[in-house]
């Protein structure tokens, strides 16, 4: 059995070990476990039952992780994506006054379209058509984005009315918890201690419990909340998607999830060293895994599921095979019953990990041809756009719109593929619909 496991996940070929893969899977889970609590809170604003969303989030995440690990054999975890869940709750349900049941049906329809374009390899063709420099920019941009998330979660960066953002207050105890975690994790990483990121998170949690900055859990085990309020509701409301407004919503779910996931997959594959000749091996299976999870998630009762940037924490620990993702999936299932324990993993615990992983992913920026302005300008817009717009897909949009223009200005328009010209118009239309229409 062990030999079959080693052979299937190519453990020896990838120069890894089962122990390292299990640790990587657990590290990834710890880094993204917050989604179990954040997603119900965000979707709850739309009127959805928070308990049902908690269970749907865990089940959809577990399914996506296991599909990604077993079928695509990548150490990449999936879960309901941040940003698109806020769009679901605040823009669609609250802003457009569309019932959450109808919005969930929109996610279901978008996921069906996703599966169709995946079967016809359209998504695969688009990912392969992205120039290598822009792929490096996507990976580096995601690094800056998740580091920004970490700095914000840890209280080191806060909102500022005068300057948009500013330095946080050092009179707040939890901010010092983040600083402790960052310093300890940085020292462990510099010293090349195996599992340095995970050890840093454990030590930060222990300090938080000792100082009272993190509250000890009141219980260890609890029953999983019922799925009944959201289960299969999407199917019952497909008929409600009968207006131009609703089809714009479906298109938005489709485009944002498409480029969030595509960008994340490319960025993580680049970080792990999987890219070959500017192509991602088994990308079709990876895309089929996330689109299937998105479909299942809509039926269970949650917003679109996609690849999670926090998978980079597991990759940084050494995760290289699908066993990492399967392990993360198992922990999501266990998380259903150990939800009180997850409360000790606060944002201050995960923040240092995100900042350090951001540093590791930013290393890809060295591969961009910065002396070639036709490439450098769109790449820079992607890199800077992701953290400043707080969106992977918006950052990609800025760069992809600029890329054909700078290449034409450099009299190199013939080097731009037809697909990239097509994406130029898609993103312009998308930006217009989202911000003007």
């Amino acid at each position: 059995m062990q030999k079959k496991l080693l052979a299937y996940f190519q453990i020896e070929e990838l120069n890894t070990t089962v122990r390292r893969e299990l640790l990587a899977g657990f590290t990834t889970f710890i880094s993204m476990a917050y989604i179990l609590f954040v997603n119900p809170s965000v979707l709850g604003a739309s009127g959805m039952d928070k308990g049902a969303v908690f269970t749907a989030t865990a089940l959809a995440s577990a399914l996506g992780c296991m599909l990604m690990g077993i079928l695509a054999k990548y150490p990449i975890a999936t879960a309901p994506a941040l940003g698109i869940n806020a769009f679901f709750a605040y823009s669609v349900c609250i802003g457009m006054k569309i019932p959450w049941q109808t919005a969930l049906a929109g996610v279901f329809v978008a996921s069906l379209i996703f599966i169709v374009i995946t079967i016809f390899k359209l998504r695969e063709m688009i990912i392969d058509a992205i120039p290598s420099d822009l792929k490096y920019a996507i990976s580096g941009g995601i690094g800056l984005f998740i580091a920004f998330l970490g700095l914000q979660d840890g209280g080191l960066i806060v909102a500022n009315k005068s300057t948009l953002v500013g330095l946080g207050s050092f009179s707040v105890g939890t901010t010092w918890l983040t600083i402790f975690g960052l310093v300890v994790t940085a020292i462990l990483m510099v010293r090349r201690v195996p599992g340095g990121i995970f050890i840093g998170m454990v030590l930060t949690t222990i300090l938080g419990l000792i100082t009272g900055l993190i509250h000890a859990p009141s219980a260890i085990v609890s029953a999983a909340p019922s799925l009944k309020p959201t289960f299969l509701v999407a199917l019952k409301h497909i008929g409600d998607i009968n207006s131009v407004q609703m089809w714009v919503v479906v298109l938005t779910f489709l485009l944002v999830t498409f480029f969030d996931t595509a960008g994340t997959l490319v960025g993580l594959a680049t970080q792990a060293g999987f890219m070959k000749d500017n192509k991602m091996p088994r990308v079709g299976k990876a895309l089929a895994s996330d689109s299937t999870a998105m479909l299942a998630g809509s039926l269970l009762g949650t917003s679109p599921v996609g690849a999670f940037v926090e998978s980079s924490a597991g990759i940084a620990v050494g995760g290289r095979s699908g066993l990492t993702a399967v392990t993360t999936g198992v922990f999501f299932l266990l998380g259903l019953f150990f939800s009180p324990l997850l409360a000790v993993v606060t944002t201050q615990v995960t923040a240092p990990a995100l900042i350090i992983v951001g540093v590791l992913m930013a290393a890809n920026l060295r591969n961009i041809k910065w002396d070639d302005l036709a490439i450098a300008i769109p790449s820079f817009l992607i890199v800077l756009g992701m953290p400043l717009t707080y969106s992977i897909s918006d950052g990609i949009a800025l760069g992809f719109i600029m890329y054909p223009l700078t290449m034409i200005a450099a009299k190199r328009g013939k080097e731009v593929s037809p697909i990239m010209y097509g994406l130029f118009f898609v993103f312009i239309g998308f930006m217009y619909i989202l911000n003007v229409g």
Side-chain angles (χ1 to χ4, degrees):
M1 184 69 181
Q2 189 176 1
K3 285 185 178 179
K4 286 183 178 178
L5 186 74
L6 291 171
Y8 184 81
F9 288 111
Q10 300 174 305
I11 301 296
E12 292 177 357
E13 290 175 45
L14 293 167
N15 196 28
T16 184
T17 64
V18 171
R19 184 171 174 272
R20 189 184 300 158
E21 295 297 303
L22 296 178
L23 177 62
F26 184 57
T27 301
T28 295
F29 171 73
I30 290 297
S31 298
M32 60 190 288
Y34 67 85
I35 196 65
L36 288 170
F37 302 98
V38 173
N39 203 44
S41 175
V42 172
L43 296 187
S46 69
M48 295 182 72
D49 182 273
K50 290 183 179 181
V53 174
F54 174 87
T55 302
T57 300
L59 293 176
S61 301
L63 175 65
C65 290
M66 289 180 180
L67 287 174
M68 189 70 76
I70 294 169
L71 295 182
K73 299 181 184 179
Y74 278 123
I76 297 173
T78 64
L82 284 175
I84 193 71
N85 61 356
F87 173 77
F88 179 105
Y90 298 105
S91 297
V92 177
C93 297
I94 296 173
M96 299 180 185
K97 293 181 171 52
I98 292 171
W100 65 263
Q101 295 90 337
T102 306
L104 214 51
V107 175
F108 176 74
V109 172
S111 63
L112 286 178
I113 299 171
F114 240 175
I115 289 174
V116 170
I117 63 176
T118 300
I119 291 171
F120 287 99
K121 297 190 174 182
L122 181 60
R123 293 175 77 191
E124 194 171 335
M125 286 167 58
I126 291 173
I127 289 175
D128 286 343
I130 300 171
S132 58
D133 290 86
L134 297 191
K135 282 177 177 165
Y136 289 128
I138 290 170
S139 180
I142 290 173
L144 294 190
F145 178 49
I146 63 174
F148 182 65
L149 282 176
L151 290 166
Q152 182 192 47
D153 288 344
L156 289 168
I157 296 292
V158 296
N160 185 301
K161 289 183 179 179
S162 302
T163 59
L164 291 181
V165 292
L167 193 63
S169 172
F170 292 114
S171 62
V172 179
T174 51
T175 302
W176 282 104
L177 197 58
T178 300
I179 293 170
F180 169 81
L182 181 58
V183 172
V184 168
T185 307
I187 291 171
L188 292 170
M189 293 298 287
V190 170
R191 300 287 296 175
R192 299 187 183 277
V193 175
I197 291 175
F198 175 68
I199 294 171
M201 292 168 72
V202 171
L203 293 175
T204 306
T205 302
I206 292 171
L207 179 64
L209 289 169
I210 291 171
T211 57
L213 293 170
I214 295 176
H215 298 295
S218 56
I220 295 176
V221 179
S222 66
S226 172
L227 260 183
K228 190 177 179 182
T230 59
F231 188 61
L232 299 182
V233 167
L235 281 180
K236 299 171 185 174
H237 289 266
I238 290 179
D240 296 341
I241 302 174
N242 52 13
S243 65
V244 173
Q245 184 188 43
M246 273 311 302
W247 279 106
V248 168
V249 169
V250 170
L251 180 65
T252 303
F253 282 144
L254 188 68
L255 284 175
V256 173
T257 309
F258 184 118
F259 286 102
D260 262 2
T261 297
T264 303
L265 284 174
V266 167
L268 294 172
T270 304
Q271 179 196 358
F274 291 131
M275 300 298 284
K276 294 178 181 177
D277 300 321
N278 195 37
K279 291 189 177 183
M280 183 177 170
R282 307 183 305 282
V283 66
K285 290 181 178 179
L287 295 169
S289 299
D290 82 77
S291 52
T292 303
M294 180 176 168
L295 178 70
S298 67
L299 295 175
L300 291 167
T302 184
S303 50
V305 173
F308 244 61
V309 293
E310 282 81 359
S311 304
S312 52
I315 292 172
V317 169
R320 289 295 180 273
S321 79
L323 186 56
T324 291
V326 171
T327 302
T328 304
V330 170
F331 277 110
F332 265 114
L333 291 178
L334 292 175
L336 278 170
F337 307 101
F338 291 88
S339 56
L341 271 184
L342 296 176
V344 302
V345 186
T346 63
T347 54
Q348 289 79 30
V349 172
T350 57
L354 296 182
I355 296 165
I356 296 296
V357 169
V359 174
L360 299 175
M361 295 191 73
N364 288 298
L365 298 177
R366 68 176 178 268
N367 299 312
I368 297 171
K369 302 181 188 74
W370 292 111
D371 55 348
D372 182 350
L373 281 179
I375 294 290
I377 292 172
S379 296
F380 183 75
L381 287 175
I382 290 173
V383 172
L384 194 62
M386 286 185 187
L388 294 189
T389 63
Y390 216 73
S391 166
I392 293 172
S393 53
D394 285 353
I396 290 174
L398 293 174
F400 279 31
I401 289 172
M402 184 60 73
Y403 174 68
L405 300 178
T406 54
M407 290 295 282
I408 291 170
K411 298 181 180 179
R412 292 159 56 190
K414 290 181 180 179
E415 294 178 29
V416 180
S417 70
I419 288 177
M420 291 303 291
Y421 277 119
L423 291 176
F424 168 81
F425 291 105
V426 166
F427 275 116
I428 286 179
F430 174 60
M431 289 293 205
Y432 177 81
I433 290 170
L434 204 57
N435 297 292
V436 183

